[in-house]
Short mmCIF file of all heavy atoms in Angstrom, two decimals:
data_model
loop_
_atom_site.label_atom_id
_atom_site.label_comp_id
_atom_site.label_asym_id
_atom_site.label_seq_id
_atom_site.Cartn_x
_atom_site.Cartn_y
_atom_site.Cartn_z
N GLY A 23 -10.40 -138.23 -49.85
CA GLY A 23 -10.92 -137.74 -51.13
C GLY A 23 -12.43 -137.79 -51.18
O GLY A 23 -13.08 -136.86 -51.67
N GLY A 24 -13.01 -138.87 -50.68
CA GLY A 24 -14.47 -138.99 -50.64
C GLY A 24 -15.11 -137.94 -49.76
O GLY A 24 -16.18 -137.41 -50.09
N ASP A 25 -14.46 -137.61 -48.66
CA ASP A 25 -14.96 -136.54 -47.78
C ASP A 25 -15.02 -135.22 -48.54
O ASP A 25 -16.02 -134.50 -48.48
CB ASP A 25 -14.08 -136.37 -46.55
CG ASP A 25 -14.33 -137.43 -45.48
OD1 ASP A 25 -15.41 -138.06 -45.50
OD2 ASP A 25 -13.44 -137.61 -44.63
N ARG A 26 -13.96 -134.91 -49.25
CA ARG A 26 -13.89 -133.62 -49.96
C ARG A 26 -14.88 -133.57 -51.12
O ARG A 26 -15.57 -132.57 -51.32
CB ARG A 26 -12.48 -133.38 -50.46
CG ARG A 26 -11.52 -133.13 -49.30
CD ARG A 26 -10.13 -132.92 -49.76
NE ARG A 26 -9.24 -132.82 -48.61
CZ ARG A 26 -8.10 -132.17 -48.62
NH1 ARG A 26 -7.70 -131.58 -49.72
NH2 ARG A 26 -7.36 -132.13 -47.55
N VAL A 27 -14.95 -134.64 -51.88
CA VAL A 27 -15.91 -134.69 -52.99
C VAL A 27 -17.33 -134.63 -52.43
O VAL A 27 -18.19 -133.92 -52.97
CB VAL A 27 -15.70 -135.96 -53.85
CG1 VAL A 27 -16.82 -136.14 -54.85
CG2 VAL A 27 -14.35 -135.90 -54.55
N GLY A 28 -17.59 -135.35 -51.36
CA GLY A 28 -18.91 -135.35 -50.74
C GLY A 28 -19.33 -133.99 -50.25
O GLY A 28 -20.50 -133.60 -50.36
N GLN A 29 -18.39 -133.20 -49.71
CA GLN A 29 -18.71 -131.85 -49.25
C GLN A 29 -19.14 -130.96 -50.42
O GLN A 29 -20.09 -130.20 -50.31
CB GLN A 29 -17.50 -131.25 -48.54
CG GLN A 29 -17.22 -131.90 -47.21
CD GLN A 29 -15.88 -131.47 -46.63
OE1 GLN A 29 -15.16 -130.66 -47.20
NE2 GLN A 29 -15.52 -132.04 -45.48
N VAL A 30 -18.44 -131.08 -51.54
CA VAL A 30 -18.80 -130.29 -52.72
C VAL A 30 -20.16 -130.73 -53.25
O VAL A 30 -21.03 -129.90 -53.55
CB VAL A 30 -17.72 -130.40 -53.81
CG1 VAL A 30 -18.17 -129.75 -55.10
CG2 VAL A 30 -16.41 -129.79 -53.33
N ILE A 31 -20.36 -132.03 -53.36
CA ILE A 31 -21.63 -132.54 -53.89
C ILE A 31 -22.78 -132.16 -52.96
O ILE A 31 -23.88 -131.86 -53.41
CB ILE A 31 -21.56 -134.06 -54.12
CG1 ILE A 31 -20.59 -134.35 -55.27
CG2 ILE A 31 -22.93 -134.63 -54.44
CD1 ILE A 31 -20.33 -135.82 -55.50
N ALA A 32 -22.53 -132.14 -51.65
CA ALA A 32 -23.58 -131.75 -50.69
C ALA A 32 -24.09 -130.35 -50.98
O ALA A 32 -25.30 -130.09 -50.95
CB ALA A 32 -23.05 -131.85 -49.27
N GLY A 33 -23.19 -129.43 -51.26
CA GLY A 33 -23.60 -128.07 -51.60
C GLY A 33 -24.40 -128.03 -52.89
O GLY A 33 -25.41 -127.33 -52.98
N LEU A 34 -23.97 -128.80 -53.88
CA LEU A 34 -24.69 -128.85 -55.15
C LEU A 34 -26.07 -129.47 -55.00
O LEU A 34 -27.04 -129.01 -55.60
CB LEU A 34 -23.87 -129.63 -56.18
CG LEU A 34 -22.54 -128.98 -56.59
CD1 LEU A 34 -21.72 -129.95 -57.44
CD2 LEU A 34 -22.78 -127.68 -57.33
N VAL A 35 -26.16 -130.51 -54.18
CA VAL A 35 -27.45 -131.17 -53.94
C VAL A 35 -28.41 -130.21 -53.25
O VAL A 35 -29.58 -130.12 -53.61
CB VAL A 35 -27.25 -132.46 -53.11
CG1 VAL A 35 -28.56 -132.96 -52.53
CG2 VAL A 35 -26.61 -133.54 -53.97
N SER A 36 -27.93 -129.47 -52.26
CA SER A 36 -28.79 -128.52 -51.56
C SER A 36 -29.27 -127.41 -52.49
O SER A 36 -30.38 -126.92 -52.35
CB SER A 36 -28.06 -127.91 -50.37
OG SER A 36 -27.82 -128.89 -49.39
N PHE A 37 -28.43 -127.01 -53.45
CA PHE A 37 -28.80 -125.93 -54.36
C PHE A 37 -29.70 -126.40 -55.50
O PHE A 37 -30.71 -125.78 -55.80
CB PHE A 37 -27.53 -125.29 -54.92
CG PHE A 37 -27.80 -124.06 -55.75
CD1 PHE A 37 -28.09 -122.86 -55.14
CD2 PHE A 37 -27.76 -124.13 -57.13
CE1 PHE A 37 -28.35 -121.73 -55.89
CE2 PHE A 37 -28.01 -123.00 -57.89
CZ PHE A 37 -28.31 -121.79 -57.27
N PHE A 38 -29.32 -127.53 -56.15
CA PHE A 38 -30.03 -127.96 -57.35
C PHE A 38 -31.16 -128.97 -57.09
O PHE A 38 -32.02 -129.15 -57.94
CB PHE A 38 -29.05 -128.59 -58.36
CG PHE A 38 -28.16 -127.57 -59.00
CD1 PHE A 38 -26.82 -127.51 -58.68
CD2 PHE A 38 -28.65 -126.68 -59.93
CE1 PHE A 38 -25.98 -126.58 -59.28
CE2 PHE A 38 -27.82 -125.74 -60.54
CZ PHE A 38 -26.48 -125.70 -60.20
N ASN A 39 -31.11 -129.67 -55.95
CA ASN A 39 -32.12 -130.67 -55.61
C ASN A 39 -32.31 -131.71 -56.72
O ASN A 39 -33.41 -131.88 -57.24
CB ASN A 39 -33.45 -129.99 -55.25
CG ASN A 39 -34.41 -130.95 -54.59
OD1 ASN A 39 -34.02 -131.97 -54.05
ND2 ASN A 39 -35.68 -130.62 -54.63
N PRO A 40 -31.25 -132.44 -57.11
CA PRO A 40 -31.37 -133.41 -58.19
C PRO A 40 -32.13 -134.67 -57.75
O PRO A 40 -32.28 -134.92 -56.56
CB PRO A 40 -29.91 -133.75 -58.51
CG PRO A 40 -29.23 -133.61 -57.20
CD PRO A 40 -29.90 -132.44 -56.52
N GLY A 41 -32.57 -135.43 -58.72
CA GLY A 41 -33.23 -136.69 -58.42
C GLY A 41 -32.28 -137.87 -58.36
O GLY A 41 -32.64 -138.95 -57.90
N LEU A 42 -31.03 -137.68 -58.82
CA LEU A 42 -30.04 -138.74 -58.87
C LEU A 42 -28.66 -138.12 -58.96
O LEU A 42 -28.47 -137.12 -59.64
CB LEU A 42 -30.28 -139.63 -60.11
CG LEU A 42 -29.26 -140.69 -60.46
CD1 LEU A 42 -29.26 -141.80 -59.42
CD2 LEU A 42 -29.56 -141.25 -61.85
N VAL A 43 -27.70 -138.72 -58.27
CA VAL A 43 -26.29 -138.32 -58.39
C VAL A 43 -25.52 -139.54 -58.86
O VAL A 43 -25.58 -140.60 -58.23
CB VAL A 43 -25.72 -137.82 -57.04
CG1 VAL A 43 -24.23 -137.54 -57.15
CG2 VAL A 43 -26.46 -136.58 -56.57
N VAL A 44 -24.79 -139.37 -59.97
CA VAL A 44 -23.98 -140.46 -60.52
C VAL A 44 -22.52 -140.04 -60.43
O VAL A 44 -22.13 -139.00 -60.95
CB VAL A 44 -24.36 -140.77 -61.98
CG1 VAL A 44 -23.48 -141.88 -62.54
CG2 VAL A 44 -25.83 -141.15 -62.09
N ILE A 45 -21.71 -140.85 -59.77
CA ILE A 45 -20.28 -140.64 -59.69
C ILE A 45 -19.67 -141.42 -60.85
O ILE A 45 -19.80 -142.65 -60.90
CB ILE A 45 -19.70 -141.13 -58.34
CG1 ILE A 45 -20.47 -140.55 -57.15
CG2 ILE A 45 -18.21 -140.84 -58.25
CD1 ILE A 45 -20.43 -139.07 -57.03
N GLY A 46 -19.00 -140.73 -61.77
CA GLY A 46 -18.50 -141.41 -62.95
C GLY A 46 -17.03 -141.16 -63.19
O GLY A 46 -16.36 -140.42 -62.46
N GLY A 47 -16.53 -141.79 -64.23
CA GLY A 47 -15.13 -141.63 -64.62
C GLY A 47 -14.24 -142.65 -63.96
O GLY A 47 -14.67 -143.67 -63.44
N GLY A 48 -12.95 -142.35 -63.97
CA GLY A 48 -11.95 -143.28 -63.46
C GLY A 48 -12.07 -143.57 -61.97
O GLY A 48 -11.66 -144.64 -61.52
N VAL A 49 -12.66 -142.64 -61.20
CA VAL A 49 -12.77 -142.87 -59.75
C VAL A 49 -13.74 -144.00 -59.42
O VAL A 49 -13.72 -144.51 -58.30
CB VAL A 49 -13.17 -141.60 -58.99
CG1 VAL A 49 -12.14 -140.51 -59.13
CG2 VAL A 49 -14.54 -141.10 -59.41
N THR A 50 -14.55 -144.42 -60.37
CA THR A 50 -15.46 -145.52 -60.09
C THR A 50 -14.70 -146.81 -59.78
O THR A 50 -15.22 -147.70 -59.13
CB THR A 50 -16.43 -145.77 -61.26
OG1 THR A 50 -15.69 -146.05 -62.44
CG2 THR A 50 -17.34 -144.58 -61.48
N GLY A 51 -13.45 -146.87 -60.23
CA GLY A 51 -12.61 -148.03 -59.94
C GLY A 51 -12.24 -148.13 -58.47
O GLY A 51 -11.80 -149.19 -58.02
N LEU A 52 -12.40 -147.04 -57.72
CA LEU A 52 -12.12 -147.08 -56.29
C LEU A 52 -13.24 -147.76 -55.51
O LEU A 52 -13.07 -148.08 -54.35
CB LEU A 52 -11.86 -145.67 -55.76
CG LEU A 52 -10.66 -144.97 -56.39
CD1 LEU A 52 -10.57 -143.54 -55.91
CD2 LEU A 52 -9.38 -145.72 -56.10
N GLY A 53 -14.37 -147.92 -56.13
CA GLY A 53 -15.44 -148.75 -55.60
C GLY A 53 -16.24 -148.17 -54.45
O GLY A 53 -16.38 -146.97 -54.29
N HIS A 54 -16.73 -149.08 -53.66
CA HIS A 54 -17.72 -148.73 -52.65
C HIS A 54 -17.14 -148.02 -51.44
O HIS A 54 -17.88 -147.38 -50.70
CB HIS A 54 -18.51 -149.98 -52.25
CG HIS A 54 -19.35 -150.48 -53.39
ND1 HIS A 54 -20.50 -149.85 -53.78
CD2 HIS A 54 -19.17 -151.50 -54.25
CE1 HIS A 54 -21.02 -150.46 -54.81
NE2 HIS A 54 -20.23 -151.49 -55.13
N THR A 55 -15.84 -148.09 -51.23
CA THR A 55 -15.24 -147.33 -50.13
C THR A 55 -15.41 -145.84 -50.40
O THR A 55 -15.83 -145.07 -49.53
CB THR A 55 -13.74 -147.67 -49.97
OG1 THR A 55 -13.62 -149.06 -49.71
CG2 THR A 55 -13.12 -146.88 -48.85
N LEU A 56 -15.10 -145.42 -51.62
CA LEU A 56 -15.27 -144.03 -52.01
C LEU A 56 -16.74 -143.64 -51.98
O LEU A 56 -17.11 -142.60 -51.45
CB LEU A 56 -14.70 -143.78 -53.40
CG LEU A 56 -14.86 -142.36 -53.94
CD1 LEU A 56 -13.98 -141.39 -53.17
CD2 LEU A 56 -14.57 -142.32 -55.42
N LEU A 57 -17.59 -144.48 -52.55
CA LEU A 57 -19.02 -144.19 -52.63
C LEU A 57 -19.63 -144.03 -51.24
O LEU A 57 -20.41 -143.10 -51.00
CB LEU A 57 -19.74 -145.29 -53.41
CG LEU A 57 -21.23 -145.07 -53.63
CD1 LEU A 57 -21.48 -143.81 -54.45
CD2 LEU A 57 -21.83 -146.29 -54.32
N ALA A 58 -19.27 -144.90 -50.31
CA ALA A 58 -19.83 -144.82 -48.96
C ALA A 58 -19.42 -143.52 -48.28
O ALA A 58 -20.23 -142.89 -47.58
CB ALA A 58 -19.37 -146.02 -48.13
N THR A 59 -18.18 -143.09 -48.47
CA THR A 59 -17.72 -141.86 -47.86
C THR A 59 -18.42 -140.65 -48.46
O THR A 59 -18.83 -139.73 -47.74
CB THR A 59 -16.19 -141.71 -48.03
OG1 THR A 59 -15.56 -142.91 -47.56
CG2 THR A 59 -15.66 -140.54 -47.26
N ILE A 60 -18.60 -140.64 -49.77
CA ILE A 60 -19.32 -139.55 -50.42
C ILE A 60 -20.76 -139.49 -49.93
O ILE A 60 -21.27 -138.42 -49.57
CB ILE A 60 -19.27 -139.70 -51.96
CG1 ILE A 60 -17.84 -139.46 -52.47
CG2 ILE A 60 -20.24 -138.74 -52.64
CD1 ILE A 60 -17.64 -139.77 -53.94
#
C-alpha cells in the first residue's frame, strides 16, 4: 500500500513542488512502516 500511495504522491510532488507532505487520516495508525515505504 505504501508503494502505491508513494507512487501517486511522487507524481504530485513533481508537479506541484510542495514544501511539506502530510499523510493523515486513519492510515496514520499504521505508523512508520507505511511512512518509510511512502
